[in-house]
Amino acid sequence: MKTLMAFDYSLPTDPKPKVLVIDEEGNPITGCSFVEETYPNRQFVMSVPGVVKLVGDSDVVAAAMQTRVDVAADYDRVVGAGEWQVIWLDAPRESEMFKAAQQKRSSRIVANLPSITVLEITIGGEAAPKSPVH
């Protein structure tokens, strides 16, 4: 069973609020953009347990329910059918689980960077001046 972390991923300049879901390794699983009317239902849409009350008119409720089905299908496709549970993080940067996931992702990215080889090139019989690699 994988634990998926859902949290608000909006920037102040974003026209619509966003929610991102990552796994324990820091891999993005799925995300959603919301409009003002659907944003109060974000935890329901992301399948956070215990959230059952929906806010809004029948069109908003129908959209939230369909999006929840689509999001759960994303979870099943990426993680495995029924092999996930979702937690909501109000303050992801304060969560030890979130920090560990980000560290794992960063380590994996750094480990896969290509090696840098510094070559000394001779120009007209003289060695070119060495400069640090940035």
Side-chain angles (χ1 to χ4, degrees), residues 99-120:
K99 290 177 191 177
Q102 293 300 339
Q103 181 59 44
K104 288 176 187 177
R105 182 165 171 81
S106 295
S107 296
R108 205 170 43 255
I109 290 169
V110 170
N112 290 315
L113 289 174
S115 300
I116 297 176
T117 304
V118 178
L119 302 175
E120 188 173 309

